[in-house]
Amino acid sequence: MRMARLFVVPVFAALSLAAQQPSLSGTWTQTRADDIAAAINNTVADMNFIKRPIARGRLTKVNPAYRKVMIAVSDKEVVVKFDERAPIHMPPGGKAAPWTREDGDKFMVAAQVGHDQMIQTFKNDEGERTNVFHMSPDGKSLTMTATVKSPKLPKPLTYSISFGR
């Protein structure tokens, strides 16, 4: 009986702690955003005067300061939905799946979920975008750091948006 208690008590304690762990899943609302326009201008500043406005316009169009993000993580899939856009469905464990953005651009998209972090990647022939979602230890805030890389850009575009529950 004593052996049973030595095993059962720690197991219940671990299960209780696991149940209390904050989850990335849920709806998050923007609390703060970097100046994305300034970050875009900084990224394209070294481009020639013909390519610069084209790159600036394209980056501005696909990098809004999202007001809301919904994340649902399960054993079967990871779903991320920004604002009123269509949800992005990804298999768990970092496996890539095809996805088409609203403008018709096609990507391979993947999500790797950890305890308090998720890394979402979008890749196609034109470049790569990585969204790193990091949750605060208390589970009340979430920061998404986006990095866009392309051989057509002189340097990566990086910015952050913070969200709260």
Side-chain angles (χ1 to χ4, degrees):
M1 184 67 172
R2 182 162 159 51
M3 280 302 266
R5 261 189 266 151
L6 289 175
F7 174 74
V8 172
V9 172
V11 168
F12 281 131
L15 289 174
S16 176
L17 286 174
Q20 295 173 6
Q21 293 288 334
S23 170
L24 289 166
S25 293
T27 300
W28 302 85
T29 305
Q30 185 195 108
T31 57
R32 187 193 68 72
D34 286 351
D35 185 343
I36 298 172
I40 290 170
N41 284 334
N42 183 43
T43 297
V44 302
D46 295 333
M47 296 177 84
N48 76 44
F49 73 97
I50 295 171
K51 292 181 180 180
R52 188 178 323 126
I54 296 166
R56 181 184 300 118
R58 189 144 186 221
L59 288 170
T60 299
K61 181 180 173 186
V62 297
N63 290 284
Y66 296 113
R67 308 288 300 155
K68 184 172 67 171
V69 61
M70 186 279 300
I71 299 172
V73 178
S74 74
D75 293 341
K76 297 182 185 202
E77 74 175 346
V78 178
V79 179
V80 177
K81 182 180 185 322
F82 292 104
D83 294 339
E84 299 309 316
R85 292 183 147 171
I88 304 163
H89 296 266
M90 298 157 284
K95 293 181 241 167
W99 176 71
T100 304
R101 193 170 53 203
E102 292 91 350
D103 62 5
D105 282 355
K106 296 183 183 307
F107 297 85
M108 291 303 289
V109 62
Q112 183 68 46
V113 180
H115 164 65
D116 63 350
Q117 180 173 290
M118 176 174 64
I119 300 171
Q120 180 185 37
T121 56
F122 301 82
K123 294 181 182 180
N124 68 10
D125 294 341
E126 293 186 22
E128 177 181 329
R129 175 188 174 116
T130 303
N131 293 333
V132 177
F133 295 88
H134 185 77
M135 187 174 56
S136 64
D138 65 3
K140 293 181 180 177
S141 64
L142 180 76
T143 301
M144 180 191 83
T145 301
T147 303
V148 178
K149 296 177 183 177
S150 172
K152 296 178 182 180
L153 295 173
K155 59 186 170 186
L157 165 64
T158 302
Y159 61 90
S160 293
I161 302 173
S162 295
F163 301 91
R165 291 211 190 252

